[in-house]
Structure formats: structure tokens, C-alpha cells
Amino acid sequence: MLKKTSALFLFSAGLFYSQAQQIIPFRITKHNNIIVKTLVNKKDSLDLMFQIAMKEGAISPEHKQKADHIIFNKDETSDHNTVDIGKLSFKEVQFLDNQLTGQEADGKIGTVLFDGKSFKIDYDHNQFVMYDKLPDLKGYQPIPVLWKQDTFYLMVDNVIDGKKQQEGYFALQSGYSGGILYSNDFAEEKELEKKLKIIGEKTLKNSKGQSLITKQGILPFFKLGDFVFKDMSVGFFSGELKTQNVSYFGADMLRRFIWIFDAERKTAYIKPSKYFSEPYYKIN
């Protein structure tokens, strides 16, 4: 009798654990963007790029599939939408119109999918997993995060010249296909143009003839927690236009880890994914 009771308890516990998680499958493009298949307002089948640096949703002006059932007001905003992903349904989702997104996507969807829950970005199995409580964290390293205006920030160390570490906050940005992109302030203050080996450069001009120069350099060391990347490709801007106000921790770096975020958005737990040692993504 005791054995049957124990077996029933273990079965019930396992059933509760499985019910306490929800899974959303995704695919990864060759540009490192995460694409989720959705059904919006029960009518529009849309491929949405997951954007970790926003909460709600958006539709691209270049969307390939019809989005006729998302009704926008004069401010290009649409409220009270439903988003279905498999058997999961999310209500009261806001969409913005005319926002550019990654290739192969009709728009974007943010962390509204994980409101009030811990969640995992599992690049090894191409899925998000949502938890009511944190799962087993054995093998993961805790990393403090700052959650501000629907964006996650990490403090990382950069070794630019010699052995001195230069700390800086980086916004997680899954819409940027590359790895590290420095803000204008960081690039100028640390004199990246002089101190890094430059391996690529491209100049763009706007209608006023002002130039925006994108440069790729080699950073000797980049350190997140106990994880160190050597001789990595990084990007920054120079020229007359100063538009990059935040440093990015982009999709090429995100995919190198499996991530678990707590429900309070104060800590990320990371461990290497199957992409950890892949070559760095090249920005054309």
C-alpha cells in the first residue's frame, strides 16, 4: 500500500511539474533572429520576430502575410489583440504599426509572452519554456540584470587596451543580428577607433550629406561572468551622425547561451549553448 501511495505521489508531482511549464517553439534564421509562428485575432497568420528589448508587438511595413484584422488608430497603435501560439493564447496585446523588423518576419513580439513568469530561451532545442517557479538551475551561472523600460541590461567587462577592464552596461537586443555594438559615447570615450584593429568599414550618407560610418574591430577580451571571449568582432559607429545611444548585446551573443530569467527580472541564469564556440556573425 505504501509503495502504491508513493508511486501515486510521484506521478502527481510529475504531472504538476509538467503543468507548471509552457513551451513555445521557435526557429532561428541565418541572421540569428528568433521567429515565432502566431495567429493574431484568430485570423492573421504571422511570423513574428521575438524582440527581447520590447514588451508588446509590432507590424512591419514590409510584412509579407496579411495583417488585415489588426486595426490601428491614428497614432498607429492597436490595442486589445489576441495572439495564439499553438494551444497558448495571450490577450490584451498591443501592436504598433510601421516598425522595421528582422528578415523573414512580418513583425515583432516581445516579453508580453512571459508576463509574471520565469522563462527560458533554449537555443539547443529551439523553444521558450515558461515556469511558475524557477526550475533546477544546476550548471547555470547567475548574472545580475537591470530591467528598465522593458529592456534587460547586463554589466560586462571589455579589455580594449592592455589588461585594464572597462565595465559597461549592454542592452539585450535580439533584433540586432551581430554580437556587440557599442554606443557612440562608449566608442568615443574609449577611443575604439584608435585602440582596436579595424577589419571592416562602410560609409552611408543621409539626404543632408551627413555621414554615418560603421566599423568592425577586433576586441581582445570580452567577459560576461566567468565566460571570456577572445579576439571577438565588435561594431561601432563614427562620423557626423550620433544615433547609437545604447550598447547592444546582440543576437549573435545571445544564441551562445541558454538563458533563464527570474519572474522579478533581477537575475539571468546562463550556461553555454551548442552555439557557444561558433564563428562570429559578419555584418554586411
Side-chain angles (χ1 to χ4, degrees):
M1 184 68 178
L2 180 60
K3 290 183 178 179
K4 288 184 179 179
T5 303
S6 299
L8 180 61
F9 173 78
L10 289 173
F11 174 78
S12 300
L15 183 62
F16 174 80
Y17 181 73
S18 66
Q19 289 174 339
Q21 358 178 335
Q22 296 171 312
I23 293 175
I24 295 176
F26 60 72
R27 68 178 174 87
I28 304 174
T29 72
K30 64 180 181 180
H31 302 289
N32 301 324
N33 299 135
I34 290 175
I35 304 293
V36 180
K37 284 193 169 297
T38 70
L39 182 65
V40 180
N41 295 332
K42 311 296 182 181
K43 299 287 186 179
D44 298 326
S45 297
L46 300 173
D47 289 340
L48 299 181
M49 183 196 79
F50 173 64
Q51 174 53 284
I52 197 171
M54 69 184 294
K55 183 177 181 181
E56 303 288 346
I59 296 299
S60 168
E62 301 173 352
H63 62 87
K64 300 273 175 64
Q65 302 183 75
K66 291 183 178 180
D68 297 340
H69 298 85
I70 305 175
I71 309 303
F72 294 98
N73 61 27
K74 62 181 181 180
D75 297 319
E76 298 189 331
T77 300
S78 177
D79 298 314
H80 314 304
N81 299 282
T82 62
V83 176
D84 294 332
I85 304 173
K87 295 181 180 180
L88 300 178
S89 186
F90 304 88
K91 299 179 180 179
E92 298 299 319
V93 179
Q94 183 187 80
F95 277 89
L96 302 178
D97 200 10
N98 292 315
Q99 289 205 356
L100 295 178
T101 186
Q103 298 184 50
E104 302 180 36
D106 301 301
K108 300 180 281 191
I109 191 73
T111 54
V112 65
L113 301 177
F114 317 118
D115 264 359
K117 293 180 179 288
S118 302
F119 70 96
K120 176 196 286 187
I121 308 177
D122 187 345
Y123 284 96
D124 283 357
H125 299 95
N126 285 10
Q127 63 185 21
F128 298 110
V129 185
M130 290 174 281
Y131 305 95
D132 292 330
K133 294 182 180 180
L134 281 172
D136 181 9
L137 296 170
K138 183 178 180 181
Y140 287 84
Q141 181 178 154
I143 301 291
V145 295
L146 173 65
W147 173 251
K148 185 178 180 182
Q149 295 180 335
D150 299 324
T151 301
F152 290 100
Y153 293 87
L154 299 174
M155 177 68 79
V156 301
D157 291 323
N158 309 263
V159 178
I160 298 167
D161 186 18
K163 297 182 179 180
K164 185 179 179 182
Q165 293 185 1
Q166 308 280 357
E167 287 187 332
Y169 273 106
F170 287 73
L172 300 190
Q173 175 46 274
S174 56
Y176 174 65
S177 297
I180 298 301
L181 179 65
Y182 289 106
S183 70
N184 293 122
D185 288 346
F186 189 97
E188 292 175 4
E189 180 185 344
K190 310 304 180 186
E191 297 182 307
L192 299 186
E193 195 165 358
K194 296 179 180 179
K195 295 181 178 179
L196 297 185
K197 178 183 177 181
I198 305 302
I199 59 172
E201 180 177 316
K202 183 184 292 185
T203 301
L204 302 173
K205 288 185 179 289
N206 66 6
S207 59
K208 297 180 181 179
Q210 296 172 307
S211 63
L212 175 66
I213 303 171
T214 62
K215 297 196 174 188
Q216 292 291 122
I218 298 297
L219 182 73
F221 294 96
F222 183 88
K223 187 171 181 286
L224 173 62
D226 294 335
F227 299 101
V228 177
F229 296 86
K230 298 180 181 179
D231 296 327
M232 67 181 295
S233 175
V234 298
F236 63 95
F237 295 110
S238 63
E240 300 163 275
L241 298 177
K242 310 295 182 183
T243 58
Q244 189 64 32
N245 299 319
V246 179
S247 294
Y248 286 165
F249 189 98
D252 184 43
M253 291 301 293
L254 281 163
R255 71 179 177 130
R256 296 174 190 274
F257 298 94
I258 295 173
W259 301 77
I260 296 177
F261 296 89
D262 65 3
E264 293 75 27
R265 310 298 188 241
K266 292 182 179 180
T267 307
Y269 302 86
I270 63 174
K271 70 177 182 180
S273 75
K274 63 184 180 182
Y275 299 108
F276 185 80
S277 299
E278 287 288 301
Y280 297 117
Y281 181 84
K282 293 182 179 180
I283 302 291
N284 294 325

